[in-house]
Amino acid sequence: MIEYSSFVLDNGLKVFVHEDRTTSMAALNILYDVGSKDEVVTKTGFAHLFEHLMFGGSKHIPSYDEALQKAGGENNAFTSPDITNYYITIPANNIETAFWLESDRMMALSFDPKVLEVQRSVVIEEFKQRYLNQPYGDVWLKLRPLAYKEHSYKWATIGKEISHIEEATMDDVRDFFYSYYLPNNAYMVVAGNVTLEQVKKLSEKWFAPIPSGTRRKRNIPAEPKQTAARFEQTEAKVPLDALYKTYHMGGKLSADFYSTDLVSDILGRGKSSRLYDKLVQEKKMFSSLNAYIMSSVDPGLLVIDGKLSKGVQLKDADDAISELIEKFTQEQFSEKELNKVKNQAESTLLFGEVEVLNRAMNLAYAAMLGDPEIVNREAANIQKVTTADISRVAKTVLQPENCSTLYYKSI
């Protein structure tokens, strides 16, 4: 249970406070309700580029990292299709430094052309190193547009292509900032050895003066129901052939989200899972094989991926997965097997909340979804899933016509 208090500043910034006297540290987490899904198809990668630009200095603080390190703090950030998240961990007695740093770049980010050029180069290099020049790195550059035809999940967070980052202008950057990096589009969680009154005082001092703005209206096309299987094959210099299969599923707030998550766990979580037991250990067709969900806010994907054993043909491996899944959808599931994956999922959830920073992140995400109490209902939602739910969801989601398959062939 994550206990919290909350308040909203006049400019719309939503603030949550989670007090924990057992630690000497504090975390300040700011989640902006913007991700790569908010981009347009001709200008992708901006949310991720902006994550980098936010560390390039602000009006009063030319070196963000240097100022934070002097106070004993650490920071980082990440971008997803749904959100951009920035966080600081710092000794609690220096928490005001975090307020100062985050408020200054929310109010007065540096639009220095030199910073844009530096960060543009960093992102382009990341694109090349992580996505183009790394074995299997371009998988999601191919899988997303195969699985999605309308929704803006069809491009990766890094962007659809390098040229969009190469051609980004300062006007593009300013427009993105003033459309999304607004106090009324942000959720701030302060967690650790702090008090509600302390956070209220510091929030009023550092964030209240920042004016609210008009957030760009979100107009993302819904993904049509997939009615026919899709297939693509690619080749690259990789160690082993690989196979990827995606199935459309509901979003984070859908009624069957947790049931689908547990279906993926039964199929491919760990060495006792169905796929691993049958196709890795018994038949030795794969050297590794997993199933998982993307946990998207909007309707997402259940994914199966694996690296093939030497000498196994991709078509044979694909047929073996399809055969296992067909049997899986016809089964009556046991309470014992379901309880095993429920307990695994709940233990992962609880273990993840040991760190105060993770609690702060989880609370911010739940608040962005529309109800901070979601963070405290997850364990119960996992335990509510029944064997009947598993059977129904398996039959609904794991249909051949709902599947997109990518063969990644080694050359």
Side-chain angles (χ1 to χ4, degrees), residues 18-26 92-93 191-195 198 356:
H18 169 58
E19 301 181 36
D20 183 354
R21 295 286 183 275
T22 67
T23 178
S24 61
M25 301 296 290
N93 57 358
N193 201 346
V194 296
T195 67
Q198 176 191 18
V356 69

Side-chain angles (χ1 to χ4, degrees), residues 60-85:
H60 305 105
I61 309 164
S63 179
Y64 182 96
D65 286 339
E66 182 180 344
L68 182 60
Q69 288 165 5
K70 285 181 178 179
E74 297 179 347
N75 73 94
N76 214 326
F78 63 86
T79 311
S80 80
D82 297 310
I83 64 170
T84 311
N85 194 82

Side-chain angles (χ1 to χ4, degrees), residues 43 46 116 120 165 167-174:
K43 294 180 179 180
F46 271 68
L116 174 58
R120 186 204 310 273
I165 302 302
E167 297 166 6
T169 68
M170 186 57 74
D171 285 342
D172 292 332
V173 168
R174 288 181 183 274

Side-chain angles (χ1 to χ4, degrees), residues 30 98-108 206-207 210:
I30 296 185
F99 277 84
W100 167 57
L101 289 168
E102 288 293 352
S103 65
D104 201 64
R105 64 179 179 178
M106 183 187 284
M107 174 180 273
W206 292 106
F207 284 93
I210 303 173

Side-chain angles (χ1 to χ4, degrees), residues 20 60 119 162 195 265 276-277 336 358 406:
D20 183 354
H60 305 105
Q119 297 304 327
I162 289 179
T195 67
D265 287 349
Y276 192 95
D277 180 62
K336 181 179 179 180
N358 289 344
L406 175 68

Side-chain angles (χ1 to χ4, degrees), residues 169-394:
T169 68
M170 186 57 74
D171 285 342
D172 292 332
V173 168
R174 288 181 183 274
D175 179 61
F176 195 88
F177 181 80
Y178 289 114
S179 296
Y180 298 109
Y181 278 72
L182 309 166
N184 47 310
N185 195 45
Y187 300 81
M188 182 168 75
V189 177
V190 186
N193 201 346
V194 296
T195 67
L196 174 61
E197 289 307 312
Q198 176 191 18
V199 173
K200 279 185 176 180
K201 182 179 178 181
L202 292 173
S203 297
E204 289 288 345
K205 177 180 177 180
W206 292 106
F207 284 93
I210 303 173
S212 59
T214 303
R215 187 200 188 284
R216 184 178 296 169
K217 186 178 180 182
R218 183 171 274 156
N219 187 25
I220 299 172
E223 183 66 21
K225 180 181 175 63
Q226 183 171 333
T227 57
R230 298 170 187 162
F231 173 80
E232 185 174 315
Q233 179 169 315
T234 190
E235 297 180 344
K237 290 183 178 179
V238 294
L240 297 166
D241 289 350
L243 177 64
Y244 300 84
K245 300 178 80 67
T246 68
Y247 298 82
H248 289 280
M249 59 170 284
K252 178 68 177 178
L253 296 177
S254 67
D256 286 330
F257 176 83
Y258 295 96
S259 301
T260 313
D261 192 10
L262 292 174
V263 164
S264 75
D265 287 349
I266 294 171
L267 275 174
R269 176 173 177 160
K271 294 184 177 181
S272 63
S273 65
R274 298 291 189 91
L275 288 166
Y276 192 95
D277 180 62
K278 190 71 173 178
L279 302 182
V280 178
Q281 291 185 319
E282 182 180 329
K283 293 191 173 182
K284 303 189 186 309
M285 299 183 77
F286 289 83
S287 60
S288 65
L289 191 54
N290 303 285
Y292 52 91
I293 64 169
M294 299 299 288
S295 295
S296 306
V297 173
D298 296 341
L301 299 172
L302 184 154
V303 183
I304 296 173
D305 70 46
K307 306 291 190 304
L308 275 64
S309 299
K310 289 282 188 180
V312 177
Q313 298 300 306
L314 280 160
K315 179 65 166 61
D316 293 338
D318 190 10
D319 288 345
I321 289 178
S322 296
E323 181 182 349
L324 186 148
I325 286 177
E326 185 178 3
K327 291 180 180 178
F328 184 81
T329 60
Q330 303 305 316
E331 279 191 39
Q332 295 295 319
F333 295 92
S334 70
E335 291 286 350
K336 181 179 179 180
E337 186 174 30
L338 176 57
N339 286 334
K340 182 191 75 173
V341 293
K342 280 184 179 181
N343 293 337
Q344 287 175 332
E346 188 170 356
S347 65
T348 299
L349 183 69
L350 295 175
F351 184 76
E353 292 180 352
V354 170
E355 297 293 334
V356 69
L357 174 61
N358 289 344
R359 279 174 261 155
M361 287 183 180
N362 293 344
L363 181 55
Y365 184 69
M368 183 277 299
L369 289 172
D371 181 5
E373 272 302 302
I374 289 172
V375 76
N376 290 324
R377 292 199 296 264
E378 291 221 271
N381 286 335
I382 290 168
Q383 293 299 335
K384 284 179 185 176
V385 175
T386 66
T387 54
D389 292 329
I390 296 295
S391 295
R392 175 175 49 79
V393 168

